[in-house]
Amino acid sequence: MDIREVAVIGLGTMGAGIAEVLARGGLQVVAVEADPEALRRGMSILQRSLDRAVSRGRMTSDEQAAVLGRVRPAGGFAEAAGADLAIEAVPERMEIKRQVFAELDRACRPDAILATNTSSLSVTEIAAGTQHPGRVVGLHFFNPAPVMRLVEVIDTVLADEAVVTAAAGLAARLGKTCVRVGDRAGFVANALLLPYLNHAVTLLETRFASRADIDTAATGGIGLPMGPLALLDLIGLDTALSILEVLHGELGGSRYQPAPLLRRLVAAGRTGRKSGRGLYDYGSESAQPAAAASDIHNGAGAGPAVITVTGPGASPGGELSAAAASAGITVRTDPAEPSDLVIVAASPAVPVLAAALAAGRPADTVGLHLAGPPGGTRLAELVPTRLTSPAAAAAARALAAGLGLTAVQAPDRPGFLAGTLLYPHLADAVRMVQDGYASAADVDTAMTLGCGYPRGPLELADQAGPGNVLDILQAMHLAYGDPAYAAPPLLAEHAAAGLPLRG
Ligand code: 3HC
């Protein structure tokens, strides 16, 4: 199947991005959008993105003109008559998708491939409603489509193998890497990403941590390119909500149940970057979310001159003690000796309070957990307990600032902040492999190329050690009782056998 001309239906953020990818790949593109205002907006998204590529020296103005010359804006489906492939990227509602595919059935040649960029709806259900279900396939791009290198190719029991192969071949021709999967809610990436994002909204809503700290924990503590709340604004809160609703409908469970705050923000029209306001405020077009680093917890006052370092991670040459000593702070290990502050070098599987009580000076004691890739930038998770005094909490913030560490604050609950976000996410990924839906390699490819993770979740779990992941999940499960935190048997087996999850 030779694909030269592609119709893109719907010119929102994703449709415009897909049209750009196709035109940059040398294909002729028919950009179909019935609403003239939406068509104009979509074309200006495309124009702006190409302008940026030119201004960054990635493309010449001549190339830009050639790319734009390959995109033909169209106000109706009739213009898709010559397309070898049509990709729809309309809003995530089954009745709208059905309508679009009925139009495509009428407008396109019977041998044209019809693809949906749906992020969560059933491709099988969409295909079953068409005249030639064998030619319908899922081609799921990631936002921003010109940048993210993943395309999920979704097969159905109705699809012709040649159609799926041709669709995957096109994606590869466009420089994308394909992960081919069956038709299950959320496919690989969204089924893993959305519950993690939803969890972040819950943490914000329940005042577990501040907005800035949640995002900083993900970037500084896990190494992700964006924090979950900033990413929700990029994806669109309305889109995220509809994906979660589909996931919750198909899979059930607390991880997929949309956080009430997410629903309220969508109801209020605060849908993210595209509306100028979501979890963050985007006052002007160039506005970025508020600086990710917490300005509340850093740079506070003069730091302590003498500290005591104790607790599970407090070996005499421990990272924290060494950093404090080289900053000229006197470091003691016996809490009976006087000091300005007691730091429990904390582990996210062990409560700080127990160590604080054992040290005998709970009001002076704060937990501190260094998160982040070893050797990379480290994030200080500050963990005051129920008994920590405000003065000690402030001294701990000043200590972190004095040591040049970005700090976030979390309550004394298993996982602290980065781990509370990360470990259930890793459990979801292990469960997906355990279910036989995708291989460990495909899960990691999807999350690295689709969501910009530096390492996929299975590799992250191997890096942390399956036994450590298991310990923290068990502590979280015990503390919260939520079955979502129950460790998947596959993880327990790898931990017991001492085998990595990526064989
Ligand atoms: N459109 C086009 N290009 C864009 C862009 C956009 N909206 N945003 C950024 N870019 C380009 C820039 O021009 C730049 O290109 P260059 O390297 O050629 O100069 C490159 O991307 C890097 O951009 P920046 O330097 O401005 O910014 P960052 O380095 O911070 O990267 C990011 C931005 C690529 C968005 C990065 O933060 C990232 O990978 N974030 C994660 C995004 C993600 O998870 N996406 C998936 C969401 S889920 C989804 O889409 C599925 C759907 O079904 C919901």
Side-chain angles (χ1 to χ4, degrees):
M1 293 179 183
D2 190 14
I3 301 173
R4 289 157 189 259
E5 183 171 311
V6 183
V8 177
I9 319 300
L11 226 55
T13 314
M14 285 311 291
I18 294 168
E20 178 184 337
V21 171
L22 292 161
R24 287 175 84 159
L27 288 117
Q28 295 297 324
V29 180
V30 188
V32 179
E33 176 63 75
D35 170 10
E37 177 48 29
L39 184 59
R40 194 198 55 74
R41 265 201 314 270
M43 289 303 290
S44 77
I45 296 176
L46 205 161
Q47 173 85 48
R48 270 205 311 278
S49 179
L50 292 173
D51 285 347
R52 178 162 32 181
V54 172
S55 70
R56 295 203 178 205
R58 305 276 182 203
M59 182 184 272
T60 66
S61 326
D62 286 353
E63 283 163 347
Q64 179 185 30
V67 170
L68 281 171
R70 285 195 283 275
V71 183
R72 193 171 88 233
F77 285 88
E79 304 235 19
D84 305 301
L85 163 72
I87 306 177
E88 73 70 22
V90 299
E92 285 291 283
R93 294 225 306 277
M94 188 53 92
E95 69 274 18
I96 305 180
K97 304 276 187 198
R98 282 247 170 81
Q99 246 171 349
V100 165
F101 276 82
E103 294 278 7
L104 291 173
D105 258 341
R106 278 191 285 277
C108 295
R109 294 195 317 267
D111 66 333
I113 299 173
L114 306 187
T116 172
N117 179 56
T118 182
S119 28
S120 57
L121 295 177
S122 163
V123 181
T124 314
E125 205 177 321
I126 294 171
T130 66
Q131 283 170 17
H132 309 286
R135 65 170 172 165
V136 177
V137 66
L139 273 182
H140 183 220
F141 290 77
F142 289 79
N143 189 2
V147 184
M148 309 316 289
R149 280 174 42 220
L150 177 74
V151 172
E152 288 176 321
V153 178
I154 296 103
D155 207 350
T156 76
V157 288
L158 299 165
D160 292 342
E161 177 56 32
V163 164
V164 185
T165 309
L170 173 74
R173 219 173 102 195
L174 297 170
K176 303 291 186 188
T177 297
C178 297
V179 165
R180 193 174 153 168
V181 282
D183 185 19
R184 204 175 88 159
F187 316 128
V188 175
N190 280 342
L192 296 179
L193 185 68
L194 268 296
Y196 149 76
L197 300 180
N198 192 40
H199 189 191
V201 179
T202 301
L203 294 182
L204 178 68
E205 187 170 14
T206 56
R207 299 175 194 274
F208 186 97
S210 72
R211 181 179 68 171
D213 281 5
I214 290 169
D215 276 358
T216 302
T219 52
I222 310 175
L224 302 181
M226 295 174 85
L229 304 174
L231 181 55
L232 273 164
D233 277 353
L234 175 75
I235 293 171
L237 271 56
D238 50 343
T239 305
L241 177 60
S242 17
I243 299 172
L244 282 166
E245 279 169 342
V246 173
L247 285 165
H248 190 242
E250 189 160 317
L251 306 170
S254 61
R255 299 266 300 154
Y256 311 103
Q257 174 136 39
L261 176 62
L262 184 64
R263 285 191 190 284
R264 299 295 179 271
L265 288 170
V266 173
R270 284 177 56 172
T271 54
R273 283 195 197 186
K274 61 188 167 190
S275 70
R277 209 166 170 210
L279 287 149
Y280 290 92
D281 202 343
Y282 303 82
S284 70
E285 278 206 359
S286 61
Q288 293 294 318
S294 166
D295 43 9
I296 307 167
H297 303 310
N298 282 336
V306 184
I307 63 170
T308 305
V309 179
T310 177
S315 65
E319 191 179 343
L320 178 67
S321 304
S326 65
I329 297 167
T330 304
V331 181
R332 301 204 158 127
T333 50
D334 180 0
E337 291 183 42
S339 65
D340 303 322
L341 176 70
V342 180
I343 290 288
V344 170
S347 150
V350 183
V352 172
L353 185 60
L357 290 169
R361 291 165 53 194
D364 297 341
T365 304
V366 178
L368 193 155
H369 173 240
L370 287 173
T377 317
R378 302 289 263 158
L379 177 82
E381 293 189 315
L382 302 178
V383 187
T385 72
R386 293 275 161 207
L387 299 177
T388 301
S389 71
R397 288 198 288 273
L399 172 71
L403 299 180
L405 295 164
T406 299
V408 296
Q409 184 171 307
D412 185 18
R413 305 224 180 106
F416 302 125
L417 184 48
T420 293
L421 285 166
L422 178 64
Y423 290 102
H425 183 48
L426 300 185
D428 290 344
V430 174
R431 218 170 277 118
M432 182 178 275
V433 175
Q434 177 184 284
D435 289 354
Y437 179 62
S439 67
D442 278 352
V443 167
D444 278 3
T445 301
M447 301 315 284
T448 49
L449 301 185
C451 305
Y453 283 29
R455 273 171 284 278
L458 281 310
E459 199 183 335
L460 284 171
D462 280 340
Q463 197 179 42
N468 293 327
V469 177
L470 184 70
D471 285 349
I472 294 171
L473 278 170
Q474 284 174 337
M476 288 182 74
H477 189 220
L478 194 66
Y480 293 99
D482 187 334
Y485 302 149
L490 184 66
L491 176 68
E493 287 155 21
H494 279 258
L499 287 174
L501 289 148
R502 286 187 58 129

